[in-house]
Amino acid sequence: MKYILLVVLLISPALVTAKNNNIDDLIRDVGYESNQRTAKTIEKIITPAGSHWKIACKRDRFDDTKICKMISKELQVSLIQGQLGVLVGRRHASNSKSAIKIDNNKTLYGAEGVFSDATQIIYQMKKGRTVYTRFYELNKENNKDDEISLDGFTERFEKMKSIYDQL
């Protein structure tokens, strides 16, 4: 309970500013860029030794919006008001495509880092070993590709859901 309260106090108030409660906007607002210093503090609080999946959760005190996210490198999995989301990258170029591929599964595409088929992606991630991501960052000349181990993903995902349920 202590770490949840501390996380609530640390996460940026900018998370509340979603336009028209649109889930895609909310996912972007909760995005990777929220605050690097906060992410480092949260990592120390709720990331066990050896894990690269960082978890942050909060309940908005004004509208009771529940938000949890877990991050590794340029990949974020979120649970916002009961809806799952997947976000790849940060500072996306307008109308740019993003891609995610788990192991040898089919490549899935999203717009500006947001994917509409989060449930399918998370299902594959739970069973997979490696996730590959690609996005086009604003003011950069090339795609940014990454490879992320899924070691420990399922356990951390279940932990995130447990924290979310306690908010």
Side-chain angles (χ1 to χ4, degrees):
M1 185 65 183
K2 291 178 187 174
Y3 62 86
I4 292 173
L5 179 59
L6 189 50
V7 169
V8 168
L9 295 172
L10 291 173
I11 296 178
S12 169
L15 299 177
V16 188
T17 61
K19 300 170 195 151
N20 300 325
N21 291 327
N22 183 325
I23 193 67
D24 290 344
D25 291 332
L26 198 50
I27 289 169
R28 284 189 191 99
D29 288 345
V30 178
Y32 179 82
E33 295 180 78
S34 58
N35 183 326
Q36 293 304 319
R37 286 180 295 169
T38 300
K40 289 176 186 171
T41 304
I42 291 167
E43 174 183 358
K44 292 176 188 171
I45 298 167
I46 58 176
T47 301
S51 177
H52 57 91
W53 292 99
K54 302 160 190 66
I55 297 174
C57 295
K58 74 169 258 174
R59 174 175 232 142
D60 183 272
R61 67 179 71 166
F62 294 101
D63 65 9
D64 279 339
T65 301
K66 290 170 51 170
I67 299 170
C68 278
K69 62 181 179 177
M70 54 188 280
I71 301 168
S72 182
K73 296 184 182 181
E74 302 287 350
L75 176 61
Q76 174 182 295
V77 174
S78 60
L79 182 55
I80 303 170
Q81 290 300 90
Q83 293 187 6
L84 293 170
V86 174
L87 179 68
V88 170
R90 56 191 161 83
R91 296 190 309 262
H92 297 90
S94 290
N95 302 315
S96 63
K97 273 184 144 179
S98 306
I100 190 166
K101 181 174 181 153
I102 294 92
D103 297 330
N104 292 321
N105 291 301
K106 178 179 148 189
T107 301
L108 301 169
Y109 296 94
E112 295 181 21
V114 178
F115 294 81
S116 61
D117 39 12
T119 303
Q120 177 186 1
I121 293 169
I122 293 167
Y123 175 80
Q124 289 180 11
M125 289 173 70
K126 286 175 147 183
K127 298 195 174 302
R129 299 175 59 85
T130 306
V131 60
Y132 306 94
T133 62
R134 172 176 287 169
F135 72 100
Y136 191 83
E137 191 173 2
L138 184 65
N139 300 324
K140 302 289 181 179
E141 293 185 22
N142 299 315
N143 286 322
K144 183 163 184 177
D145 292 358
D146 215 342
E147 180 177 325
I148 302 165
S149 168
L150 291 170
D151 186 42
F153 173 80
T154 300
E155 293 81 8
R156 297 299 287 160
F157 182 74
E158 294 304 319
K159 178 68 174 174
M160 180 185 75
K161 289 189 341 185
S162 172
I163 295 169
Y164 179 89
D165 290 340
Q166 295 173 23
L167 291 176

